[in-house]
Amino acid sequence: MKQKTWAITLIFLVFMAVGCSGGSLTTREKGAGIGALGGAAVGGIVGAAVGHPGVGAAVGGALGLGSGLLIGDQLQGQEQRQADQQQQSDSNQAELDRQRRDLERLKQQAEY
């Protein structure tokens, strides 16, 4: 019974940490949550095989949390780089459009 309490407590703490963030979850937070839950599930299964499912779930959840944070952080960094590149591309396109309008205006002035 004590082992189930550990697993339930771990899952409760993960949900509390994720739920208290407010607003929508970042990619890093999603990765941490998925990693912790997946790790706890796998750890619980492995722990059950050796007679300690609660300890297995706790260890697996902690390892999964750490792994999920690292993966989520990498994905979030990649999303940020893509957003920065898109912003630069939009800025470049706006400058090209401005230069085209200026060129057309100069052509029209030269015709008079």
Side-chain angles (χ1 to χ4, degrees):
M1 187 64 158
K2 185 176 180 182
Q3 294 165 347
K4 283 185 181 181
T5 305
W6 272 95
I8 292 170
T9 302
L10 177 65
I11 292 171
F12 175 75
L13 290 174
V14 169
F15 278 119
M16 287 298 295
V18 171
C20 292
S21 66
S24 62
L25 297 176
T26 65
T27 302
R28 185 173 192 231
E29 292 167 339
K30 290 176 188 175
I34 291 169
L37 293 176
V42 171
I45 292 169
V46 171
V50 295
H52 300 287
V55 174
V59 171
L63 292 174
L65 176 65
S67 299
L69 278 172
L70 291 174
I71 293 169
D73 191 49
Q74 291 296 314
L75 291 173
Q76 187 169 334
Q78 184 178 14
E79 288 174 354
Q80 184 61 47
R81 285 188 296 278
Q82 288 174 344
D84 292 345
Q85 289 173 346
Q86 184 62 46
Q87 183 179 7
Q88 183 63 44
S89 177
D90 293 344
S91 176
N92 290 345
Q93 185 62 46
E95 178 63 18
L96 284 172
D97 292 342
R98 185 193 65 77
Q99 289 178 359
R100 283 188 186 117
R101 287 191 304 271
D102 288 348
L103 184 59
E104 287 299 319
R105 183 179 47 81
L106 289 172
K107 283 181 182 178
Q108 290 176 355
Q109 287 178 354
E111 291 176 359
Y112 293 115

